[in-house]
Amino acid sequence: MSRTEIPTRADRIVVMGVLNVTPDSFSDGGRYAGLDAALDHARVMVAEGADLIDVGGESTRPGAQRVPVEEEARRVLPVIELLAAEGIKVSVDTYRAAVAELAVAAGASVVNDVSGGLGDSDMARVVKDAGCPWILMHWRGHSDRMADLAHYDNVVTDVRTELMARVTDALAAGVGADQLLLDPGLGFAKKAEHNWALLAHLDTFTSLGLPVLLGASRKSFLGRLLADPAGTVRPTAGREDATTALTTFAGLNGAWGVRVHDVGANVDAALVAAAIRSAR
Ligand code: PMM
């Protein structure tokens, strides 16, 4: 099987635009309206500079319920097929091997696996056969129970060790090192203080020799940081500037890319970081 290379850019870090095709956009009878809206949104993100559109059909928010595999496939495949037909690069946000396999056949060129291969023992085979990049995110369990799993001796070394075990397993299954990317999994079985420690020690991950992705966009640790004086957490809509600040940080500190909702602002931040780096 031919290899798909990990996308990179000469001028800045990679920006992945989030396209969640979860029930709200596919509600009763509105499926095609939802599909059109999803495509339009993806096109806007590409026009703003997105290098990859990350299509996901199951919410991974803390406490979210899982959806059946058929439903997840039904949500993501039409979108992936149509985007790929327009020449848009797509990653599929799934931990299910069956969905990843269908998504790659439909034109996805990257598998973004929030379980780092732990969610489905067949994922390594799918990625090996596809020859495509595989984002291994740090994960300890599904969304419905991950809050209980946020306990670490030292979050930075624990996450590094657990991620390296995912890499070892992937390589043992025959996946190439040149197919792998790492992601510390901000917000996944992590409290706010864990996320900040992982960011503060980003070099622990970038020094491992594999590209590193960060997904901080709109996450609740930013809402907590930005809480008002009464302690009310800032809602998602008010977390964009903080997200963009973290993209600048990611760009300055050797990340490969960021996964974001608001592509335009984050492309600008990535360019700012790149300009500073190249002037060093
Ligand atoms: N976060 C979410 C979903 N997918 N994938 C990767 N690789 N890294 C992440 O941090 C990540 C992800 C959850 O965010 P959303 O609910 O805003 O999509």
Side-chain angles (χ1 to χ4, degrees), residues 9 12 15 17 40-51 53 260-269 271:
R9 297 184 60 105
R12 57 165 170 79
V15 175
D40 283 348
H41 184 49
R43 291 186 193 113
V44 168
M45 290 194 285
V46 169
E48 289 177 348
D51 304 297
I53 299 298
V260 296
H261 299 85
D262 181 356
V263 169
N266 286 285
V267 164
D268 289 357
L271 286 167

Side-chain angles (χ1 to χ4, degrees), residues 4-182:
T4 331
E5 285 188 10
I6 294 173
T8 51
R9 297 184 60 105
D11 58 339
R12 57 165 170 79
I13 60 169
V14 165
V15 175
M16 284 169 78
V18 177
L19 189 64
N20 284 325
V21 284
T22 37
D24 351 49
S25 53
F26 281 88
S27 52
D28 315 356
R31 181 149 182 244
Y32 287 99
L35 184 58
D36 276 343
L39 293 172
D40 283 348
H41 184 49
R43 291 186 193 113
V44 168
M45 290 194 285
V46 169
E48 289 177 348
D51 304 297
L52 265 176
I53 299 298
D54 190 42
V55 180
E58 179 181 298
S59 175
T60 48
R61 280 177 208 292
Q65 295 300 309
R66 275 178 262 169
V67 299
V69 60
E70 299 76 17
E71 174 62 15
E72 188 189 346
R74 192 188 71 80
R75 290 178 186 177
V76 299
L77 293 178
V79 180
I80 293 171
E81 230 161 66
L82 291 165
L83 291 177
E86 291 183 25
I88 295 174
K89 265 192 180 300
V90 173
S91 54
V92 61
D93 186 346
T94 188
Y95 58 83
R96 289 186 169 113
V99 175
E101 192 157 35
L102 291 166
V104 168
S109 51
V110 174
V111 173
N112 175 23
D113 179 355
V114 298
S115 81
L118 286 172
D120 191 327
S121 57
D122 200 29
M123 188 65 101
R125 178 199 60 81
V126 167
V127 171
K128 178 175 177 274
D129 289 353
C132 68
W134 185 14
I135 299 169
L136 299 173
M137 199 194 79
H138 177 262
W139 182 89
R140 283 186 161 183
H142 288 287
S143 308
D144 47 4
R145 55 188 285 265
M146 69 184 177
D148 302 331
L149 302 170
H151 300 287
Y152 300 89
D153 290 330
N154 175 322
V155 67
V156 176
T157 51
D158 290 356
V159 169
R160 183 189 57 195
T161 304
E162 290 168 34
L163 265 183
M164 286 315 290
R166 307 317 314 132
V167 171
T168 304
D169 282 2
L171 298 176
V175 176
D178 58 350
Q179 288 175 263
L180 300 177
L181 302 94
L182 301 177

